[in-house]
Amino acid sequence: MFRKISMALAATLIMAGAACADPIEGNWKTQAGSTAAIAGGGGAFSITLKSGKFAGKRIGSFKVSGANKYSGTITDPETDKTYSGKASVSGASLKMSGCVLGGLICRSQTWHKL
């Protein structure tokens, strides 16, 4: 009996660990058609382009700022300009935005989970 309870508890803990994985991690299709990989842990994540003209380039760094919400910096790979950024995950969609002048001028994109 004790063995069955221990096995059930272990299975529950393993499944709970998988459920706690952050939804922003993984591969995303950008609005431009490239693939971006978001990886990290401990509340900090980096974005690296995996395909397209700028493959291998790191274009962002984010930290958790709430439930499925992130803030940090995002770099336009075309111009190499870095902006303050925000991201939010909703299902298989990631809304990214980069802003200048304290949020006065912003540009947004929606990426889709692969």
Side-chain angles (χ1 to χ4, degrees):
M1 179 70 163
F2 178 72
R3 184 174 181 198
K4 286 183 182 181
I5 292 172
S6 295
M7 294 289 274
L9 180 61
T12 302
L13 290 174
I14 290 170
M15 291 170 68
C20 290
D22 211 295
I24 198 170
E25 290 180 296
N27 292 317
W28 297 86
K29 180 67 81 174
T30 69
Q31 197 164 305
S34 300
T35 299
I38 301 178
F45 303 92
S46 64
I47 305 170
T48 304
L49 292 174
K50 293 295 184 185
S51 70
K53 183 178 177 182
F54 300 101
K57 188 169 192 167
R58 185 170 178 240
I59 62 163
S61 176
F62 284 87
K63 292 187 179 194
V64 175
S65 63
N68 297 328
K69 294 184 188 289
Y70 307 85
S71 62
T73 58
I74 189 81
T75 301
D76 180 346
E78 285 281 342
T79 63
D80 271 336
K81 291 185 179 177
T82 301
Y83 304 95
S84 63
K86 292 183 181 180
S88 62
V89 178
S90 178
S93 295
L94 172 65
K95 184 174 181 181
M96 303 281 292
S97 65
C99 301
V100 295
L101 300 173
L104 186 60
I105 301 171
C106 298
R107 199 167 118 203
S108 297
Q109 291 188 6
T110 300
W111 296 1
H112 300 281
K113 190 94 171 194
L114 295 176

